[in-house]
Amino acid sequence: MASFHSIAGFHLVTGAVVIVGSAAAMISGCAADASRTTSSESAAERARSQAAFVEIAAVLRHPRCINCHTVTDFPRQGDAGRRHAQFVLRGPDNHGVPAMRCNSCHQDSNQENGVPGAPHWALAPLSMSWEGLDDNQLAEALKDESKNGGRSLESLLDHMAHDPLVLWGWNPGGTREPVPVPHETFVRRLEEWMATGAVSPEPSP
Amino acid sequence: MTPLTVNGTTHQLDVAPDTPLLWVLREHLGLTGTKFGCGMALCGACTVHVDGEAVRSCSAPLSSVAGRKIVTIEGLAALAGRDLHPVQQAWIEEDVVQCGYCHSGQIMSAAALLAKVPKPTDADIDAAMSGNICRCGTYQRIRAGIHRAAALAAK
Amino acid sequence: MITASLRSNPAAVRSAFQLAVVPPAIVAELSRRGFLKLAGATAGLVLAFHFTGRSARAASAAASATATAGFAPNAFLRIGTDGVVTITINHSEMGQGITTALPMLIAEELDADWSRLRTEFAPVAAEYNHAFFPIQMTGGSTSTWTEFERLRTAGATARALLLQAAAAEWKVSIDGCRTEPGVVIHRDGRRLDYGALAERAARLTPPEKVTLKEPSAFRLIGKPTRRLDSLEKVTGAAQFGLDVHPAGTLVAVVARAPVFGATLEGLDPAASGKGPGVKGVVQVPSGAAVIADDFWTAKKARDALAPTLRWKMPEGAPVDTTAQAARFRELAREPGVPAENTGDAAAALRGAAKVVEADYAVPYLAHAPMEPLNATVTFDGTRAEVWTGTQFQTMDRAAVANVLGIAPEQVELRTTLLGGGFGRRATPSSDWVVEAAHVAKAARAAGLRAPVKTMWTREDDLAGGYYRPMFHHRLAGGLDAQGRVVAWQQTIVGQSFLAGTPFAEMIKDGVDETSVEGAAHSVYAVPARRVELHTPTLPVPTLWWRSVGHTHTALAVECFMDELAHAAGRSPLDLRRELLPADSRERRVLDLAVEKSGYERVNLPAGHAHGLAVHASFGSFVAQVAEVSLQDGWPRVHRVTAAVDCGTAVNPLTITAQVEGSVVFALSALLYGEITLVEGRVQQQNFHNYEVVRMHEAPVVDVHIIARGDQMGGIGETGVPPTFAAVLNALFAVTGKRIRSLPLTRAKFA
């Protein structure tokens, strides 16, 4: 069941929501023209929204992202998502434990010796863990302000588009594979998803 | 010129800013207590304190620590205001070292732990110290040393 | 190390250095001509210690000429007029604690004040040669037991002279004098500090004979004694080879061959990576050395240069360790050179009620001491000074001299503390020191006038060869109807690292003792045992690695013993007890380890199991019981209970520490250790893919020492061999599956 902010002041209780208007108008929170549409157009837009999210999910689940969006009390490493070496732990503030803080080893940028780095290097809080979530749960978690760090869709998009730690996924240094989907594509998919109602894919059966 | 305060003394360093702090300390400041074991933050032999936090100096370029307060093993006792930091004293009492090469880093990590967790549990010790490799295998003595240091510091 | 064969089979030793071996005696004699002789109680062979050919008298005469120097009756100690005793240590400190144990020997007999002691490492000189080898070296877990008589005698001689000096000073009979630590006391109450007596003692002639203390009179030996080198090591003051940095030192980092045996085709002067701080790039036999003002500059320039270099590949197919292991397995099925042939093993196998067969395989292992290799060489054209942490002083000095075209006496080699050795710092070819000498020579030829410190990175170290060789064991054991072991056949396949070195003479009748030690002529009284050896020649350089052949023979023998017990439906403990002589030291440590661990007696938590192993090496005897479980599908070793008999415990703290550390060292190899090669290239670069045990995986190790005065053995390596099988046997008890190939990262756990 999709849920989102009532931006245009117009929604259908059936759970299929259609907003017609520019994505920019939607996310700016301004009232947008909402024209009535046919249900097949609504269904199509819903499907496009969900399809956009599937591509977004592929990025989120890539090791460069999900290795720090774990559900565990430790980060992961490598494309196989191995437990981080050296018994590195999340710690109560997601930044490691005394004497083994994330920034004991990780700097603000990738180092020549292969140690990856970016500003604010740390684990995402457990509320932002993505491991084990299906596409539906992932989308729901992303949109849930109680889980996503109090972010509106707009600020979520801003985070994904500009945060240096997020951007690191595309410039991981060493021999690490960057996220294969280009960042600009990822951002566009996010914008499309949000413009089409940020519809979550159907839950898994 | 890059300013760097090490063990209380501020230096103005004419050293390439990408130089890891480890080599600044060892070769430009002559402080060889901090050791080189792997060069990529895997072994902990190079651990120093930067503004009170344990940091692996082999992976911290000079530019990243410019203007900050560095404490090395040579300055640890002074930091504690004693002849020996409780960790150093405990290490001697528990006969912890063997070859000794890893122990500058072990001690700096242990001191960083105790500064935040004065009475660490064995789980705390596992979490804090598993980044420091000892090829001589002195781990159980390091653990005993940390417990002893906690007791000494509490006096 | 080598001396394993020395002890067990002295007749097998025919080295180029004309050694003779003797078991230690109780009374030492110091001859007027400066030779120290030990009279063998039973063996009748004589061990000759050589104080450079300069007599002790001459030495003390020289000392008296410079009176302020105090008193130096021999090469091992001097006493200043301030009473401080300086002990010169002729072995290398790599963590094993000889910096404390060896001074204990001298201080005991000298009755030195332990709090007024200094130590220094010996220069390279014949008087500092190993007691059993005419070279200065440290290895084979021999330092303490081989110096036990000599150093005690040195201390006793000095004490005798001090007593004489006091008696002369007071004009009394020496009978009325005794010593307390640091002072001579007359029964009438007069006292003189050793410092006050030093100059007078220096003018006296050493006695021909000194009597050593009875063990019951020991004040120091046998007491748990804290290390003398702790303070410098916990304050960062300790100087390792890497820390040596005379003024103006340049640093060299070498680009070496990507595969063993490749040679540099030439150095293009244009592609020399010149940049600020780079002083030159020179060609040396091992590759191209970039010389710069500091390490970071040199390393970056080397890393930039390395991909541009052209190498001539060696003949033959490039090494592939997977294919090689398969070939070893095949080779183990062919008859090899006999290392032992007791009874008729083949016939006994044929007649056995049950036969068990198994293959065991272990990979190449790197030593990976925490301090990467390094050496600082200063060469002015006629003389050289070398600073390095080495276990092989005489050989290194000679090798450096050879490279530089000067006499060994023109080379001063200074030994620093070693940041771990494990055997890596004892190469017959003096590999890293020779390389550093070549770099210094080439630097000088290029016009650079400065000390040159050649430094290895961790990647250089792991790719640099001199590994514990890959080995394969094929075993077949026969059981009779009562479940007794009646036949044992073992074929071993692995490289010899002695071949092609000055130690090659120790290979007898095609058998390199270090490949079969611990398997051939095993203590187990199996009536028919045949052990055979194949020694393939391969381009991967290999070397002794802490406990040498025992690293794999103890694994194979003790695991297979377990397999036989299981096949017979018998207790692994009972089977061993049956095969070990009742009064053997193996039996004693086995029983103690069993008692202390509760093996087969105590109820362990669910999912936990015990595994047992006992093995003798380097003259000492160790049994271990490991408690293991699987956690998240990975072996967790909770505790290892070790019983060790080394005969005499000079410093129980040393012994405990060495066994504790050895277990962890072995465990790293068992769980993670392997060096693999693909297309001739080493696949491991650093501790991310050459993993080792860390704090969170370290077991608790309980060490129980037996020191009943039996023949003394070593301890530096002895704790390593039993660990492999103790853990593997425990894992079998946990999982029901036998693991026969290391490391455990290759095994599949449920």
Side-chain angles (χ1 to χ4, degrees), chain C residues 178-375:
Chain C
R178 73 174 201 283
T179 54
E180 292 289 320
V183 289
V184 179
I185 300 174
H186 190 255
R187 59 164 162 253
D188 68 11
R190 281 181 283 180
R191 308 163 65 90
L192 275 169
D193 186 271
Y194 285 1
L197 291 164
E199 287 178 13
R200 190 184 261 267
R203 295 193 289 270
L204 298 174
T205 304
E208 278 205 33
K209 197 168 160 167
V210 285
T211 307
L212 301 180
K213 286 185 187 177
E214 286 299 315
S216 55
F218 285 158
R219 284 188 230 255
L220 281 175
I221 295 174
K223 305 286 180 294
T225 304
R226 291 203 181 105
R227 299 180 69 110
L228 289 174
D229 55 0
S230 281
L231 181 62
E232 58 179 329
K233 288 177 177 176
V234 304
T235 53
Q239 187 181 60
F240 297 86
L242 203 73
D243 304 326
V244 170
H245 208 91
T249 295
L250 300 175
V251 177
V253 181
V254 179
R256 296 181 192 82
V259 306
F260 296 114
T263 49
L264 193 56
E265 276 185 337
L267 203 50
D268 176 2
S272 58
K274 283 257 192 274
V278 176
K279 292 291 193 270
V281 182
V282 295
Q283 183 163 357
V284 290
S286 55
V290 177
I291 306 172
D293 285 331
D294 58 73
F295 171 76
W296 187 242
T297 308
K299 177 190 166 344
K300 280 201 304 184
R302 187 279 304 259
D303 291 349
L305 175 70
T308 71
L309 297 174
R310 292 180 326 277
W311 299 90
K312 179 171 186 298
M313 290 297 147
E315 300 285 316
V319 177
D320 181 288
T321 40
T322 308
Q324 183 173 306
R327 275 199 303 279
F328 275 29
R329 191 189 156 88
E330 287 164 18
L331 201 49
R333 277 143 178 75
E334 293 176 31
V337 177
E340 180 190 354
N341 196 20
T342 300
D344 187 339
L349 272 173
R350 282 193 301 272
K354 192 176 214 180
V355 172
V356 180
E357 294 182 324
D359 287 88
Y360 281 83
V362 295
Y364 288 111
L365 292 174
H367 303 70
M370 277 315 296
E371 180 198 9
L373 296 168
N374 59 84

Side-chain angles (χ1 to χ4, degrees), chain B residues 15-16 18-20 23 26-28 31-45 56 58 73-77 83-84 87-89 91-104 106-107 122 125-127 129-143 146 148, chain C residues 93-96 225-227 229-231 233-238 240 242-243 245 251 293-296 300 366-372 417-420 422 453 455-459 545-546 636 653-654 656-658 660-662 664-665 668 686-688 690 692-702:
Chain B
V15 177
D18 72 325
T19 308
W23 300 109
R26 288 184 59 84
E27 293 186 320
H28 298 275
L31 294 168
T32 56
T34 308
K35 303 304 186 194
F36 168 59
C38 72
M40 52 187 292
L42 294 166
C43 80
R56 305 217 170 163
C58 75
I73 184 72
E74 291 95 338
L76 188 65
D83 289 340
L84 288 174
V87 173
Q88 292 169 315
Q89 181 64 33
W91 253 230
I92 292 172
E93 292 180 12
E94 293 288 333
D95 224 42
V96 178
V97 307
Q98 287 188 23
C99 88
Y101 191 80
C102 75
H103 280 282
S104 298
Q106 301 280 1
I107 290 166
D122 281 341
I125 291 171
D126 281 350
M129 301 300 295
S130 293
N132 288 82
I133 293 177
C134 173
R135 284 297 279 152
C136 296
T138 64
Y139 298 120
Q140 75 183 43
R141 291 186 185 231
I142 292 171
R143 188 186 297 281
I146 291 173
R148 173 84 81 123
Chain C
E93 173 63 67
M94 48 186 141
Q96 84 282 41
T225 304
R226 291 203 181 105
R227 299 180 69 110
D229 55 0
S230 281
L231 181 62
K233 288 177 177 176
V234 304
T235 53
F240 297 86
L242 203 73
D243 304 326
H245 208 91
V251 177
D293 285 331
D294 58 73
F295 171 76
W296 187 242
K300 280 201 304 184
H367 303 70
M370 277 315 296
E371 180 198 9
L417 290 167
L418 282 63
F422 313 121
K453 175 155 71 173
M455 286 172 58
W456 293 44
T457 63
R458 178 61 55 193
E459 291 82 2
W545 182 104
R546 197 177 191 183
R636 179 69 208 259
L653 289 187
T654 298
T656 305
Q658 286 309 291
E660 290 171 0
S662 294
V664 174
F665 193 77
S668 290
N686 209 309
F687 290 118
H688 60 286
Y690 195 79
V692 296
V693 163
R694 295 165 179 272
M695 172 68 81
H696 71 293
E697 282 197 294
V700 172
V701 182
D702 290 325

Side-chain angles (χ1 to χ4, degrees), chain B residues 52-70:
Chain B
E53 297 277 11
V55 169
R56 305 217 170 163
S57 59
C58 75
S59 301
L62 178 60
S63 55
S64 74
V65 294
R68 298 169 73 184
K69 285 190 165 48
I70 316 293

Side-chain angles (χ1 to χ4, degrees), chain C residues 373-562:
Chain C
L373 296 168
N374 59 84
T376 302
V377 179
T378 309
F379 178 45
D380 66 5
T382 22
R383 299 189 59 84
E385 190 176 59
V386 178
W387 291 83
T388 191
T390 179
Q391 299 171 236
F392 254 24
Q393 286 82 358
T394 307
M395 299 187 67
D396 287 356
R397 186 179 70 156
V400 168
N402 187 51
V403 167
L404 300 179
I406 56 183
E409 292 70 37
Q410 308 301 115
V411 177
E412 192 178 345
L413 188 144
R414 298 183 169 281
T415 309
T416 62
L417 290 167
L418 282 63
F422 313 121
R424 180 60 181 93
R425 291 182 145 106
T427 51
S429 61
S430 301
D431 71 302
W432 83 93
V433 190
V434 160
E435 180 187 74
H438 277 293
V439 173
K441 180 175 162 186
R444 187 183 162 74
L448 297 169
R449 294 282 181 274
V452 181
K453 175 155 71 173
T454 300
M455 286 172 58
W456 293 44
T457 63
R458 178 61 55 193
E459 291 82 2
D460 295 342
D461 171 55
L462 290 173
Y466 295 98
Y467 309 121
R468 196 282 310 263
M470 172 189 285
F471 266 90
H472 190 101
H473 288 247
R474 170 137 183 82
L475 296 125
L479 296 158
D480 67 11
Q482 286 72 46
R484 289 184 294 239
V485 183
V486 295
W488 181 289
Q489 197 155 286
Q490 188 166 1
T491 307
I492 303 175
V493 183
Q495 290 167 259
S496 165
F497 49 80
L498 297 185
T501 74
F503 299 95
E505 293 218 11
M506 301 187 70
I507 301 173
K508 189 185 166 160
D509 295 332
V511 173
D512 182 335
E513 168 78 21
T514 68
S515 298
V516 301
E517 60 188 1
H521 306 287
S522 152
V523 65
Y524 289 121
V526 177
R529 176 168 51 229
R530 186 170 172 88
V531 179
E532 297 180 1
L533 176 67
H534 294 273
T535 308
T537 305
L538 293 156
V540 181
T542 54
L543 193 62
W544 33 61
W545 182 104
R546 197 177 191 183
S547 80
V548 201
H550 300 277
T551 61
H552 52 92
T553 59
L555 186 160
V557 169
E558 286 301 291
C559 284
F560 195 62
M561 195 56 77
D562 218 60

Side-chain angles (χ1 to χ4, degrees), chain A residues 85-89 97-101 103-105 107 109 111-115, chain B residues 18 39-42 53-56 59-61 64 109 117 126-128 130-131:
Chain A
Q86 306 188 58
F87 200 57
V88 165
L89 294 178
V97 299
M100 284 284 275
R101 306 290 287 160
N103 58 21
S104 294
C105 304
Q107 300 292 321
S109 59
Q111 297 303 304
E112 289 176 52
N113 61 10
V115 178
Chain B
D18 72 325
M40 52 187 292
L42 294 166
E53 297 277 11
V55 169
R56 305 217 170 163
S59 301
S64 74
S109 291
V117 186
D126 281 350
S130 293

